[in-house]
Amino acid sequence: MSKRDAGPLIVGIEGLELDAETGERLMHPAVGGVILFARNYETPEQLAGLTEQLRGLKSDERGARLLICVDQEGGRVQRFRAGFTPLPPLAVIGRWYGSHPDRARDLAYRHGRIMAAEVLGHGVDLSLAPVLDLGGDSDVIGDRALSGDPQAVADLARYYIAGMRDAGMAACGKHFPGHGTVRADSHLTEVSDPRDLATLREHDLVPFRELAGELDLVMPAHVIYPEIDDRPAGFSERWLGAVLRDELGFGGLVVSDDLDMAGAACAGGPPEGLRRALAAGCDLALVCDPGSVPAALDAFGDAVPEVDLSPLYGRARLTLDEQQLVPEFRAWKQTLTTLAEDARG
């Protein structure tokens, strides 16, 4: 592999620290990164130790190392809690937008900035955020969405991304072309959205279109849009090539959603689903269940695609300790804590 290239798999691991078996598995050339969950977190100190172990596995003179990821959206989806700022769900910000848009934009920036600074400060490169789905009927999206108004989502997400960037983090828009308007949860079942492409262009695709030039990474939904393709978006050359790349002009990387999800089962599970996702245009693929990782690795044989992950590595502008000394930073943390407490009732 070249100096900055890595394998396309981002995998889940067990436990609070690395054991020998996991460490050996992560050395496989197909593994480019790790995604952490609540099962991997106990304290800020433990997390810093784990990420130091992970960074040491493939960090060498070529500049290659594992990319370390998490879902730290806030609300229901915040993997690191004790010792981290409680982050309100994004819908809280969206509710401000109708009456106080400038206040909502400021909150979106603060949310992205605090989230990214704290994650980077503990050795994690990337939170897979922001959610660009529209708020609506979805059981799995719900208050993870900024708003049901596509223009509001695009506007607020732009400020959220600016906060992430000012902290030193890349941005991942999800779940293309939009998961927020169908009720079923693609973690649990196959999901289908009957709308046609013209309708999606007017609604769900708006945030992705307006932010295509500002995103480093896009995650497609495990949703089938039968009017466009009979395969979920993450396994569809039409969605990833003709729409995302050609029509929207997205030039970054594409990462599949978790291949263990029920919504991906029609593609054949992690080994076959992995091959189909990469063939359709995904650059990276998530396999979050550690038990599925060996079969996914076996799917490659001797042919491992190479991906340049350097645009996704975290590059903190200031250390977390340095940022904690800034009065505005401390005030932002308090604002978000208060909003999170109010959201919990």
Side-chain angles (χ1 to χ4, degrees):
M1 292 187 180
S2 63
K3 180 178 180 182
R4 295 182 297 175
D5 287 340
L9 269 187
I10 298 176
V11 302
I13 61 174
E14 296 286 5
L16 302 175
E17 60 183 19
L18 286 184
D19 56 43
E21 182 181 359
T22 301
E24 182 178 356
R25 184 178 295 166
L26 296 179
M27 291 299 293
H28 191 288
V31 177
V34 171
I35 182 166
L36 301 178
F37 291 87
R39 64 176 180 255
N40 307 118
Y41 181 73
E42 186 174 57
T43 66
E45 294 75 21
Q46 169 270 325
L47 176 61
L50 175 59
T51 58
E52 184 176 1
Q53 287 183 295
L54 291 169
R55 283 170 176 265
L57 279 181
K58 287 188 174 179
S59 181
D60 58 27
E61 69 279 0
R62 299 175 305 148
R65 65 175 176 82
L66 290 171
L67 179 76
I68 308 174
C69 309
V70 70
D71 290 307
Q72 188 80 343
E73 300 171 14
R76 292 176 289 133
V77 184
Q78 180 168 346
R79 311 306 189 195
F80 309 147
R81 292 188 179 272
F84 279 71
T85 300
L87 298 169
L90 294 183
V92 170
I93 298 171
R95 286 196 285 271
W96 281 88
Y97 191 77
S99 57
H100 298 82
D102 287 339
R103 169 66 167 161
R105 295 181 185 110
D106 182 53
L107 288 173
Y109 177 89
R110 296 184 190 195
H111 199 298
R113 176 75 178 269
I114 296 295
M115 178 279 293
E118 292 188 338
V119 166
L120 290 169
H122 292 85
V124 178
D125 294 294
L126 177 68
S127 175
L128 298 172
V131 168
L132 298 182
D133 302 296
L134 305 187
D137 294 332
S138 173
D139 290 334
V140 68
I141 301 301
D143 63 2
R144 296 167 65 191
L146 283 158
S147 173
D149 178 352
Q151 289 295 338
V153 172
D155 189 8
L156 292 172
R158 181 170 284 111
Y159 283 84
Y160 187 97
I161 291 168
M164 294 175 72
R165 290 205 183 286
D166 284 352
M169 182 178 285
C172 173
K174 60 187 187 184
H175 304 83
F176 171 84
H179 195 324
T181 314
V182 286
R183 181 173 295 278
D185 181 350
S186 56
H187 291 84
L188 306 175
T189 187
E190 183 177 291
V191 179
S192 180
D193 186 332
R195 294 174 298 164
D196 60 22
L197 184 55
T199 302
L200 290 163
R201 283 187 177 120
E202 293 177 2
H203 297 94
D204 299 59
L205 277 170
V206 170
F208 293 97
R209 181 170 60 244
E210 295 202 5
L211 298 171
E214 301 179 39
L215 295 168
D216 304 278
L217 193 64
V218 163
M219 178 185 292
H222 287 324
V223 175
I224 299 169
Y225 307 83
E227 289 294 316
I228 296 92
D229 198 324
D230 60 2
R231 294 163 293 180
F235 304 99
S236 165
E237 295 93 336
R238 184 174 183 192
W239 274 118
L240 300 184
V243 180
L244 181 61
R245 297 292 192 190
D246 298 340
E247 180 181 329
L248 273 59
F250 176 66
L253 298 175
V254 178
V255 58
S256 80
D257 207 343
D258 182 11
L259 295 178
D260 284 304
M261 290 166 57
C266 61
E272 183 59 27
L274 170 62
R275 287 188 284 265
R276 291 183 178 183
L278 296 177
C282 288
D283 304 287
L284 300 165
L286 284 174
V287 178
C288 297
D289 181 354
S292 298
V293 174
L297 294 177
D298 289 344
F300 287 99
D302 296 327
V304 177
E306 297 182 358
V307 186
D308 180 5
L309 297 181
S310 60
L312 306 182
Y313 292 143
R315 298 174 177 85
R317 307 284 179 85
L318 299 171
T319 69
L320 188 55
D321 286 342
E322 289 171 335
Q323 297 202 68
Q324 301 277 18
L325 297 175
V326 179
E328 290 83 359
F329 190 85
R330 297 197 300 271
W332 295 347
K333 285 167 59 73
Q334 184 55 57
T335 298
L336 292 172
T337 298
T338 300
L339 288 174
E341 290 172 350
D342 290 346
R344 288 196 301 266

